[in-house]
C-alpha cells in the first residue's frame, strides 16, 4: 500500500474520475468500447474493473481488464511506473500469475492523461489484464495457504534478482521511500497521527529498537528487488482442485499491485508477508513459521537474517498502522479502506511485544523446522 512520493505520503493527489470519464478514456486511449465499469478499492491510486465489448471480427483476447490510474505524484515518475510494468511482464513470461498491459493505440504500455479539472492534474493510466481468484483476505486461511505465499515471496524475489535486467530497473533505487522496510526510522515524522496513547509508545519502541538492532545489520542482508506489498488483498487464490477437501487447498492465481517495488533484501519480503498473513489468522503468532517454511523451501535465510525477523515484522506493522493513520487524517473519505489493517493490526503488534521476541521466534522457528527445509539447506 504505497502512499505518495518517496518521502512524503501527504503530497500525492488521488485521481477522482467518474465511470463515464473512465469509459471515454478507455475508448480514446486504448480503442476499446466499455460495456460496464466498476470501481475497485485502492490506497492512493484509482482502479476500475472494466469489461469491453468486442466488435465482430476483432482479435481475440481478454474481455476484462483493470484500468489503473496512478496518483499525481507517482505519475511524475514514468521511469518508475515503467519498471513496475516491465517487472509484471517479465514475471508473467516466467510463469508467475501477474497482470500484463494492454497497449495503447500508440503501442505503449501507459499514457499520461489530464483529468481536465481546474488544476489540470496529469495521471499515468494503464490497462492491465484482469486476474481470476479471490483475495486471501476473503478465504479461510490455512497453514497450506501461508506456506504457498512464503514460497511465492522467495520465488518472485529470486527471479527478479537473477534475471530482470530492464534499463528502467535503476528507478527502483528509492532511498527515502517510506514503505521500504529500511526506512522505519522515517516514521518519527508521522507518529503524531496516533495521538498520545499506548499505541504511540509501542511504535516509538519499535523505531528505537529498529535503529539500534536492524539498521546496523542491513549490510549483512542479501540484497534483491522486493515486490514490497504481498498483503492479504494483493494475493489472489483459487481452489487447487475440484475435490471436496476440508480444509480446501489453494494455489496462488494472481499477484497484484507492484507500486511498492524497490531495492531491498530477501528478508524484507518474508517479513512483510508474515505481517500481512498474521492479519488473516486466528492463530497469528504461529503464522510466521508457515510463511517462513515456504520461503525457506526456496531460499533459506542466514542466521543474521533470521535474527532480525521479529523486528522487521514489527517494523512493517508500525509502517502500516502509522502511515494509514496519517493518511486517513488527510483523506477521511477513504478512511475505511486505509484502516483495514488497523482493525486487528494493533492487537497483533501489542501481542508480539507482550509475548516477547524470544518466545515468538521460538514458535516461528520450531514451526518452520517441522517442514525440514532449513535443516536440509
Amino acid at each position: 500500500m504505497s502512499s505518495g512520493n518517496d518521502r512524503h505520503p501527504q503530497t500525492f493527489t488521488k485521481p477522482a474520475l467518474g465511470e463515464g470519464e473512465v469509459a471515454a478514456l478507455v475508448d480514446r486511449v486504448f480503442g476499446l468500447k466499455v460495456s460496464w465499469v466498476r470501481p475497485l478499492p485502492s490506497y492512493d491510486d484509482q482502479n476500475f474493473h472494466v469489461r469491453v465489448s468486442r466488435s465482430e471480427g476483432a482479435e481475440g483476447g481478454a474481455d476484462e481488464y483493470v484500468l489503473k490510474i496512478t496518483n499525481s505524484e507517482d505519475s511524475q515518475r514514468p521511469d518508475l511506473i515503467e519498471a513496475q510494468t516491465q517487472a509484471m511482464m517479465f514475471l508473467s513470461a516466467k510463469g508467475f500469475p501477474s497482470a500484463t498491459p494492454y497497449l495503447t493505440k500508440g503501442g505503449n504500455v501507459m499514457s499520461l492523461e489530464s483529468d481536465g479539472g481546474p488544476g489540470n492534474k496529469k495521471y499515468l493510466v494503464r490497462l492491465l489484464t484482469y486476474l481470476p481468484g479471490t483475495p486471501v483476505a476473503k478465504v479461510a486461511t490455512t497453514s497450506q495457504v501461508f506456506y504457498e505465499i512464503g514460497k511465492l515471496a522467495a520465488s518472485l524475489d529470486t527471479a527478479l534478482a537473477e534475471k530482470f535486467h530492464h534499463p528502467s530497473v535503476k528507478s527502483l533505487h528509492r532511498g527515502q521511500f517510506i514503505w521500504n522496510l529500511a526506512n522505519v526510522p522515517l516514521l518519527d515524522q508521522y507518529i503524531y497521527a496516533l495521538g498520545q496513547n499506548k499505541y504511540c509508545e509501542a511504535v516509538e519502541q519499535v523505531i528505537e529498537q529498529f535503529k539500534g538492532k536492524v539498521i546496523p545489520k542491513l549490510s549483512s542482508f542479501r540484497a534483491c528487488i522486493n515486490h514490497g506489498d504481498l498483503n492479504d488483498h494483493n494475493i489472489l487464490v483459487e481452489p487447487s482442485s475440484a475435490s471436496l477437501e476440508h480444509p480446501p487447498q489453494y494455489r496462488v492465481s494472481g499477484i497484484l499491485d507492484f507500486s511498492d517495488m524497490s531495492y531491498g533484501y530477501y528478508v524484507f519480503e518474508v517479513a512483510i508477508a508474515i505481517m500481512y498473513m498474521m492479519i488473516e489468522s486466528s492463530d497469528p503468532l504461529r503464522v510466521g513459521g508457515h510463511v517462513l517454511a515456504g520461503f525457506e523451501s526456496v531460499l533459506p535465510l542466514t542466521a543474521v537474517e533470521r535474527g532480525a525477523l521479529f523486528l522487521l515484522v514489527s517494523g512493517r506493522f508500525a509502517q502500516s498502522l502509522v502511515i494509514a493513520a496519517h493518511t486517513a487524517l488527510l483523506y477521511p473519505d477513504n478512511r475505511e479502506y486505509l484502516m483495514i489493517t488497523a482493525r486487528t493490526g494493533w492487537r497483533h503488534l501489542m501481542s508480539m511485544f507482550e509475548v516477547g521476541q524470544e518466545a515468538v521466534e521460538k514458535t516461528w522457528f520450531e514451526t518452520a523446522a517441522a517442514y525440514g527445509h532449513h535443516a536440509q539447506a
Side-chain angles (χ1 to χ4, degrees), residues 76-268:
Q76 297 178 39
R77 296 281 307 277
D79 55 336
L80 179 61
I81 308 303
E82 176 78 20
Q84 296 165 7
T85 310
Q86 292 295 334
M88 292 160 64
M89 296 166 66
F90 164 82
L91 289 169
S92 178
K94 293 295 181 182
F96 290 86
S98 59
T100 54
Y102 185 95
L103 300 183
T104 68
K105 287 197 263 187
N108 301 311
V109 299
M110 58 187 173
S111 177
L112 187 64
E113 300 293 321
S114 170
D115 65 359
N120 197 32
K121 295 286 186 181
K122 294 186 181 297
Y123 305 104
L124 285 171
V125 299
R126 288 170 292 168
L127 194 63
L128 306 175
T129 50
Y130 184 82
L131 298 175
T134 304
V136 170
K138 295 184 178 181
V139 303
T141 51
T142 63
S143 58
Q144 180 261 340
V145 172
F146 298 139
Y147 182 91
E148 291 300 322
I149 289 169
K151 186 175 180 180
L152 168 72
S155 301
L156 187 153
D157 281 14
T158 301
L160 289 173
E162 294 177 355
K163 298 178 180 179
F164 180 51
H165 305 301
H166 192 270
S168 62
V169 76
K170 61 183 181 294
S171 67
L172 299 177
H173 288 285
R174 305 167 71 178
Q176 297 295 299
F177 182 44
I178 193 64
W179 285 102
N180 189 299
L181 255 180
N183 291 326
V184 165
L186 294 181
L187 294 177
D188 278 334
Q189 59 192 307
Y190 305 114
I191 286 183
Y192 76 90
L194 301 179
Q196 294 298 317
N197 52 44
K198 63 179 181 179
Y199 296 147
C200 183
E201 293 173 5
V203 169
E204 288 174 342
Q205 184 180 350
V206 170
I207 294 172
E208 289 310 307
Q209 291 192 28
F210 203 96
K211 290 177 180 177
K213 298 179 180 179
V214 175
I215 297 300
K217 295 179 181 177
L218 290 178
S219 61
S220 301
F221 299 159
R222 290 167 296 172
C224 67
I225 297 171
N226 292 143
H227 173 281
D229 198 13
L230 292 177
N231 70 50
D232 43 324
H233 293 269
N234 284 344
I235 300 174
L236 305 178
V237 293
E238 288 183 327
S240 58
S241 69
S243 65
L244 299 177
E245 294 177 90
H246 298 285
Q249 299 286 295
Y250 289 98
R251 66 177 184 86
V252 175
S253 60
I255 309 166
L256 308 179
D257 196 355
F258 285 71
S259 60
D260 283 3
M261 281 185 70
S262 67
Y263 273 98
Y265 304 92
Y266 286 107
V267 69
F268 282 10

Side-chain angles (χ1 to χ4, degrees), residues 208-350:
E208 289 310 307
Q209 291 192 28
F210 203 96
K211 290 177 180 177
K213 298 179 180 179
V214 175
I215 297 300
K217 295 179 181 177
L218 290 178
S219 61
S220 301
F221 299 159
R222 290 167 296 172
C224 67
I225 297 171
N226 292 143
H227 173 281
D229 198 13
L230 292 177
N231 70 50
D232 43 324
H233 293 269
N234 284 344
I235 300 174
L236 305 178
V237 293
E238 288 183 327
S240 58
S241 69
S243 65
L244 299 177
E245 294 177 90
H246 298 285
Q249 299 286 295
Y250 289 98
R251 66 177 184 86
V252 175
S253 60
I255 309 166
L256 308 179
D257 196 355
F258 285 71
S259 60
D260 283 3
M261 281 185 70
S262 67
Y263 273 98
Y265 304 92
Y266 286 107
V267 69
F268 282 10
E269 200 78 275
V270 66
I272 290 167
I274 287 173
M275 176 257 153
Y276 285 115
M277 293 309 108
M278 286 176 68
I279 297 294
E280 295 304 327
S281 174
S282 58
D283 188 11
L285 294 185
R286 196 168 296 277
V287 164
H290 300 297
V291 177
L292 179 61
F295 192 92
E296 292 194 319
S297 72
V298 177
L299 184 75
L301 296 182
T302 65
V304 69
E305 289 167 342
R306 275 186 155 216
L309 198 55
F310 178 89
L311 282 174
L312 288 170
V313 173
S314 302
R316 184 55 167 203
F317 267 117
Q319 284 180 317
S320 180
L321 296 165
V322 171
I323 297 172
H326 168 77
T327 309
L329 289 177
L330 298 170
Y331 302 95
D333 289 348
N334 200 30
R335 181 178 179 83
E336 183 176 355
Y337 181 76
L338 293 169
M339 301 302 287
I340 286 174
T341 299
R343 292 171 190 166
T344 55
W346 282 117
R347 184 170 71 247
H348 295 337
L349 176 60
M350 301 302 284

Side-chain angles (χ1 to χ4, degrees), residues 285-289 355 358-368:
L285 294 185
R286 196 168 296 277
V287 164
V355 173
E358 183 177 349
V360 171
E361 287 180 340
K362 184 174 186 291
T363 299
W364 287 350
F365 299 157
E366 287 181 353
T367 301

